[in-house]
Amino acid sequence: AVLAEDGPSLTIYNGGFAAVREHVPLDLKSGVNPVTFAGATTTLEPESVILRDPSGQHSVQILEQSYRADTISQGLLLSMYEGKTIEFIVGRTGDGKDVTSSGKVIRSGYVPAGSQGQGNQSPVIEVNGQLRFSLPGEPIFPDLGTDTVLKPRLNWLLQTEQPGAFNAELAYITNGMSWAADYNLVIPEKGNTADVVGWITMHNNSGKTFENARIRLMAGDVNKIQQNGLRRDYAMKAAMEVNVAAAAPVVTEKAFDEFHLYTLEHATTLHEEETKQVEFVHAMNVNSQRVYVYDGMEGYYYFGNFVGDNPGYGTQMNKKIWVMQEFKNSKENGLGIALPKGRLRFYRRDTDGSLQFIGENQIDHTPKDETIRVYTGNSFDVVGERKQVDYHVDRGGHQADETFEVRVRNHKKETVNVRVVEHLYRWSNWKVTNESDEHKKTDAQTIEFRVNVAPDQEKVVKYTVHYSW
């Protein structure tokens, strides 16, 4: 029996694999039935195959399964004719007739897919007693041979004690399929609102076209063992889940186990070697804030030992001020769905309305109501300067005092708010004893000053920290 496909369902993971579910008709007799399924992918994991009757009326056992993915190709046929002489088309006459020449295939150079070898090698062909490390022309093969397949296939011996015709459900894991999310944020010439457009890009390199398929995308860190092994708990769970169609959005999102599923609401065809994109986020007037961060310490390392004997430790200066962009992924801010990890690109409109690219970065999987902050580059017109102005250590009294002065200069035409980050690196016990501006403690060894710097002005932040041990 040869099985036909009907309405496949795909759950594609951002780990580069997919769970496939297909409905295939079976008509089985009582006992053992030889069955061929000629619609598999070239990257199927045979040990992941599940075949069952979703209605539960027929019990089907796979007594034996063989998987063939070495579909017919020029390289495969050359390997089948190694040691034999075949004809090659080496040119054409003026009236369009082929000119042929005989050659003996010494080595085909073919390496089967998934082989542990070094990849395809150059073929070796003997022509008129001379060896050539390339084909002399287009090979002509007498026949396909008796052991070739045109499509990857699964051959089964199925046993059942409940004969009859029914629609079986086939599920398996295949490699060669992936998806990724990309986001574009367009910021106006002035102001903090942004338009957010998110794209899902799917790649099909599985060796098979999926016609009229229902596609879902799984976002999250699903554990998958490499080298032909797989933890299939969640993958097969997703493959067997029934799709429920909904109206309106192109893509809908829901929580699934410890992950998130994104469902394309309309069936689509995903061709072999095709890249397909769909829009899944379109939000207008999202409140987005630009943040300037000056982390002026360069070469900062904390070893867990007091470094009082080295007054210059940690005083290296970095003048660059980071430009960060942040926004909250909330419903009130026009978003509020779990955003899968992907590339985030920022554009700003120029005075003439044109878009200028101003930076990009990656975001991780981000749940709703979390704040996204990404680094987009360094500021051109806002610079920093940091220096140690005083240091004193009292070894007998187990204490030290250190004073830093941080200068931020703004050469822009508008006021900027800069977050000055300082690391208190000399010891775990510390206290700020004097400061020009109020600080905020962000962790056990980091403080932050938030200061406004007027156009063409300089802001000086000065503080003293007391260490004791």
Side-chain angles (χ1 to χ4, degrees):
V2 177
L3 306 183
E5 305 167 67
D6 182 21
S9 169
L10 302 176
T11 301
I12 307 175
Y13 295 73
N14 44 30
F17 64 100
V20 180
R21 178 172 62 90
E22 311 199 36
H23 289 99
V24 293
L26 285 178
D27 190 357
L28 303 179
K29 299 178 175 59
S30 182
V32 178
N33 298 258
V35 175
T36 295
F37 173 66
T41 69
T42 59
T43 51
L44 176 145
E45 295 186 352
E47 66 276 15
S48 71
V49 168
I50 296 175
L51 185 67
R52 68 185 185 119
D53 179 6
S55 70
Q57 297 179 3
H58 298 81
S59 176
V60 180
Q61 181 182 5
I62 302 177
L63 298 178
E64 183 179 298
Q65 172 181 281
S66 64
Y67 171 58
R68 291 288 305 275
D70 53 342
T71 56
I72 194 68
S73 66
Q74 178 177 284
L76 176 60
L77 286 177
L78 279 173
S79 69
M80 295 171 61
Y81 280 89
E82 284 184 350
K84 300 178 182 178
T85 298
I86 62 174
E87 295 294 312
F88 293 87
I89 300 175
V90 296
R92 284 182 172 81
T93 62
D95 57 358
K97 294 183 179 179
D98 293 335
V99 177
T100 62
S101 175
S102 298
K104 184 177 181 180
V105 182
I106 304 300
R107 183 180 73 189
S108 69
Y110 173 73
V111 177
S115 171
Q116 299 299 315
Q118 299 299 315
N120 287 355
Q121 303 173 352
S122 299
V124 179
I125 310 296
E126 182 183 337
V127 180
N128 297 326
Q130 296 180 327
L131 296 180
R132 297 189 180 187
F133 284 83
S134 62
L135 299 181
E138 183 182 345
I140 303 174
F141 300 102
D143 57 54
L144 292 178
T146 57
D147 193 32
T148 57
V149 294
L150 296 177
K151 290 183 177 182
R153 61 178 58 188
L154 288 163
N155 296 315
W156 293 314
L157 288 181
L158 303 180
Q159 178 170 299
T160 184
E161 301 306 324
Q162 292 102 14
F166 62 96
N167 261 349
E169 185 176 67
L170 169 66
Y172 59 88
I173 301 299
T174 182
N175 294 302
M177 302 194 76
S178 62
W179 73 278
D182 288 270
Y183 306 90
N184 297 320
L185 269 73
V186 179
I187 305 169
E189 178 191 355
K190 294 182 179 180
N192 292 322
T193 60
D195 297 337
V196 181
V197 177
W199 289 94
I200 284 173
T201 302
M202 298 168 286
H203 303 278
N204 179 14
N205 302 111
S206 68
K208 174 183 175 177
T209 293
F210 291 90
E211 298 278 354
N212 201 34
R214 297 305 304 269
I215 298 178
R216 290 175 296 171
L217 312 165
M218 182 78 80
D221 301 318
V222 178
N223 185 44
K224 185 179 189 299
I225 302 171
Q226 302 300 317
Q227 297 180 342
N228 300 325
L230 169 66
R231 182 183 169 191
R232 299 185 189 87
D233 303 8
Y234 302 124
M236 301 314 293
K237 194 173 180 182
M240 290 299 188
E241 186 183 296
V242 177
N243 280 309
V244 179
V250 176
V251 177
T252 58
E253 174 267 342
K254 72 170 183 176
F256 178 79
D257 205 275
E258 295 299 320
F259 316 103
H260 282 265
L261 270 176
Y262 300 82
T263 302
L264 276 65
E265 289 305 312
H266 301 283
T268 186
T269 295
L270 193 56
H271 293 280
E272 178 185 355
E273 302 296 333
E274 181 181 29
T275 297
K276 178 163 287 191
Q277 294 176 304
V278 294
E279 183 182 286
F280 80 109
V281 173
H282 197 126
M284 309 292 288
N285 299 319
V286 174
N287 186 45
S288 175
Q289 181 181 3
R290 174 168 288 190
V291 178
Y292 295 90
V293 177
Y294 181 47
D295 192 338
M297 184 181 295
E298 187 173 67
Y300 156 69
Y301 299 98
Y302 179 70
F303 296 103
N305 297 315
F306 181 69
V307 287
D309 292 332
N310 183 1
Y313 181 79
T315 61
Q316 296 87 347
M317 181 181 63
N318 160 46
K319 285 191 172 185
K320 298 294 185 181
I321 290 184
W322 304 336
V323 180
M324 317 284 286
Q325 198 78 27
E326 70 176 24
F327 59 93
K328 190 170 184 179
N329 178 25
S330 64
K331 186 175 181 181
E332 295 76 17
N333 203 23
L335 294 167
I337 67 168
L339 298 177
K341 65 181 178 181
R343 180 181 298 182
L344 189 64
R345 297 177 178 89
F346 289 91
Y347 299 86
R348 183 177 286 276
R349 292 199 181 276
D350 205 345
T351 52
D352 60 359
S354 61
L355 291 180
Q356 304 297 338
F357 176 71
I358 59 172
E360 69 178 11
N361 213 321
Q362 295 279 340
I363 66 169
D364 203 350
H365 299 302
T366 305
K368 68 180 182 67
D369 297 327
E370 289 292 320
T371 297
I372 295 173
R373 180 192 293 179
V374 295
Y375 164 78
T376 63
N378 296 324
S379 177
F380 190 98
D381 294 317
V382 186
V383 296
E385 183 179 344
R386 175 182 184 272
K387 66 179 180 179
Q388 181 194 66
V389 296
D390 193 23
Y391 180 73
H392 177 263
V393 60
D394 180 2
R395 276 286 184 180
H398 302 286
Q399 58 186 346
D401 293 279
E402 186 172 31
T403 301
F404 273 96
E405 188 176 82
V406 182
R407 297 175 179 269
V408 179
R409 291 183 287 275
N410 178 21
H411 301 284
K412 299 172 73 69
K413 296 180 179 179
E414 64 272 357
T415 298
V416 296
N417 181 271
V418 180
R419 301 181 185 184
V420 177
V421 177
E422 286 291 294
H423 304 277
L424 309 183
Y425 54 89
R426 291 193 182 273
W427 191 241
S428 56
N429 296 327
W430 57 266
K431 181 180 180 181
V432 175
T433 57
N434 191 23
E435 59 186 357
S436 61
D437 298 82
E438 185 179 356
H439 77 273
K440 176 184 178 182
K441 182 179 177 180
T442 57
D443 63 35
Q445 287 183 267
T446 308
I447 60 175
E448 181 181 286
F449 300 91
R450 297 192 178 187
V451 296
N452 291 320
V453 189
D456 293 320
Q457 296 296 315
E458 178 184 73
K459 172 65 179 177
V460 180
V461 175
K462 190 174 181 179
Y463 71 94
T464 299
V465 59
H466 177 77
Y467 294 98
S468 59
W469 63 94

